[in-house]
Amino acid sequence: MIHHIVMWKLKDFAEGKSKAENAIILKKKLEGLKNDISEIVEIRLGLNIESEYSNFDAVLHTYFESFETLEKYQNHPKHNSVAEWIGKIRDLRYCVDYEF
């Protein structure tokens, strides 16, 4: 099993919306991928509830059966569309993939 974790620091304002508005849209878009991409075993996006001392605004936890299914997810057109939009609303992105 592969655990794919991505964290983002969002821009204060992007694509005509506030950080808080984009965070909610981000959650809906990413969690909605479960309906379109069969390789996803589980997907959850957590939004930061504390901002004074935190560095990131959102964290994605996604699980896949193998590196091959992770690769299919990463190359899927629906994922690429969401990723392109995320590129417009984020300042920073960090990712970790590990097998367990």
Side-chain angles (χ1 to χ4, degrees):
M1 186 76 68
I2 305 301
H3 188 181
H4 174 66
I5 304 167
V6 184
M7 297 188 318
W8 296 276
K9 175 77 172 167
L10 304 179
K11 294 178 181 177
D12 289 332
F13 191 83
E15 296 297 291
K17 300 199 177 347
S18 70
K19 179 190 291 193
E21 290 171 314
N22 279 328
I24 292 167
I25 295 167
L26 176 67
K27 183 172 178 65
K28 287 179 185 174
K29 284 182 180 254
L30 285 169
E31 290 182 347
L33 291 175
K34 177 77 168 129
N35 299 322
D36 298 313
I37 303 175
S38 62
E39 287 78 14
I40 297 170
V41 173
E42 183 180 344
I43 188 166
R44 288 179 283 146
L45 184 93
L47 299 176
N48 191 3
I49 58 172
E50 190 285 315
S51 61
E52 185 177 349
Y53 301 105
S54 299
N55 294 319
F56 289 88
D57 300 302
V59 61
L60 175 70
H61 292 271
T62 315
Y63 298 88
F64 300 91
E65 291 294 332
S66 65
F67 280 112
E68 291 77 22
T69 57
L70 169 59
E71 222 172 80
K72 286 181 182 178
Y73 159 79
Q74 290 175 323
N75 293 306
H76 193 283
K78 296 270 187 172
H79 171 265
N80 290 338
S81 176
V82 174
E84 183 180 326
W85 177 78
I86 293 170
K88 297 174 184 177
I89 68 158
R90 64 135 171 114
D91 277 330
L92 294 173
R93 176 192 179 274
Y94 289 96
C95 177
V96 172
D97 297 316
Y98 69 90
E99 191 169 20
F100 65 98

